[in-house]
Amino acid sequence: MNFQNIPEAFQIDHLFHQSTYLIGGELKQWSGATSEVYSTISSTEAYAPTLLGSIPLLEKEQAFEALEAASEAYNNGQGLWPTMKVADRIACMEKFVEQMKTKREQVVKYLMWEIGKNLKDSQKEFDRTVDYIYDTIDDYKQLDRNAAKFHKNSGVYAHIRRGPLGVVLCLGPYNYPLNETFALLIPALIMGNTTIFKPAKLGVLLLTPLMEAFQNSFPKGVVNILFGRGRTLASPLMETGKIDVLALIGHSNSANALQNTHPKKNRLRIVLGLEAKNPAIVLPDADLDLAVQECIAGTLSFNGQRCTALKILYIHETIFEAFKEKFCAQVDALKFGNPWDDGAMLTPLPEVNKPDYIQGLIDDAKAKGAKILNPKGGERTENYIFPSVLYPVNKTMNVYHEEQFGPVIPIMTFSDIQQPLDDMAESNYGQQVSVFGKNTKTLAPLIDTLVNLVCRVNLNSSCQRGPDVFPFTGRKDSAFSTLSVRDALRSFSIRTFVAAKDNPYNSEILKEMLEEKQSNFISTDYLL
Ligand code: G3H
């Protein structure tokens, strides 16, 4: 590791003490307890975590203040934001994204330091999020255009649109602290909801350069930003029963605990992206080079810290030896380095205890009969544990059941395709699968089954969320409701409409409202 070789642009030249939080349109100064933010990346030759700065540790009083501000801005659907013209809400979003784009460098730098994501992927996360916002604006315009009309049935006119739900609590994950958080926040906002958002445990400072843009782009109380612990802030908010939507990307345990504290079960809508254990199934006739390449990307991009990562590989027993040889050689050839190092696919793990956790999975599997197949597997440094290829894995091992979310690759072999299918059916998860093969007579019926076990079947490629216009969801403990640019607009809104019997009395009223543009809801204007 070249500790000296941190490019100037990425060096930590000052500590970043975030002392404000956003409530009711005001960046409030915090003088209470704070929490230091460290990176697991060292800036000195002798290993030591790097201090990056600090964030406020807000208390439940601030959470309640944020709730009051968000509720006031929503004002039971009478607030400025939920009743605003679509064009005006879009203008606020455009103002925000224009300012956001000027912060790219700073956000990318802190993505690397805070969560260890490599430079290319950090830049991609930023750019993908900006694209997501523009795509959301376009889709919202389309939604609005589709709704700019009257339907008539059985003598009744209906003007149908989608309306907001109320106050949304947004909680994002540490692995995509910008992208996934915004993939919840942006559609929630544009549909007219007001929001309270708390960054994940890691990847917090990178969001702070955007606070002023949030403050000056949206009416007061529409976006409220809190810093601190989930247990201190999110649970008391849910207990009030005044949160209308829980939007969370993270673990089902946290989602379930939060839902359970909400006293009004039918008021609460949930939009959840949760954990997964996506398998790859490699059939005997698969193009082995392609399968190996995709399984490397699928298991080890961002060290496997993706909900869509391939977390278990099923290899047909007739090709196992050939697969193993190529796969292990390629795993061991991967470069470990700091996020800005050229070609570093493997980068420091941001969670201090992750190497020990992965070690625990390896030790447990070894004690139950697995071996590490690759020579470099399990090599430790202060902030990393080199990916281990574990084989043979069986159901008694923790690595079979747990979502490892890190660099360890369990492999099973199969002779009968029914085995992986049964395992998938039995699993608590059901997000995606990758299937590698060529023979259509085998693939076609297999695909017909797989689509009923998960929500995306990737043919000859690794699993992934993108392109973001495609539906991203899962069965069982993997998700609740669907996210994509378009589906998210639906998830954060509800169909609501005005109905009027077709008679001269009503027609006159509707005509006048339309001609004089008196209502923001009843409108046949086209947004181009
Ligand atoms: O952590 C889960 C992410 O949604 C995965 O997204 O497939 O684009 O890495 P990705």
Side-chain angles (χ1 to χ4, degrees), residues 128 175-176 180 306-308 463-466 472:
R128 173 182 179 181
N175 64 334
Y176 279 91
E180 300 240 282
R306 297 160 58 233
C307 60
T308 48
C463 299
Q464 60 173 39
R465 173 177 178 155
F472 176 54

Side-chain angles (χ1 to χ4, degrees), residues 296 299-304 327-328 330-336 345-347 349 358 362 372-380 384-390 406-410:
I296 295 274
T299 52
L300 291 175
S301 299
F302 193 36
N303 302 302
F327 187 73
C328 289
Q330 287 194 32
V331 170
D332 276 4
L334 292 174
K335 180 174 167 188
F336 172 70
M345 170 150 168
L346 309 175
T347 48
L349 297 166
I358 298 288
I362 295 170
I372 298 180
L373 298 183
N374 54 325
K376 285 173 79 176
E379 278 180 9
R380 301 271 307 246
Y384 202 64
I385 178 159
F386 199 87
S388 298
V389 182
L390 285 179
V408 59
I409 307 162

Side-chain angles (χ1 to χ4, degrees), residues 422-433:
D422 288 346
D423 291 353
M424 287 171 72
E426 195 182 81
S427 160
N428 285 332
Y429 307 115
Q431 190 197 59
Q432 301 189 17
V433 64

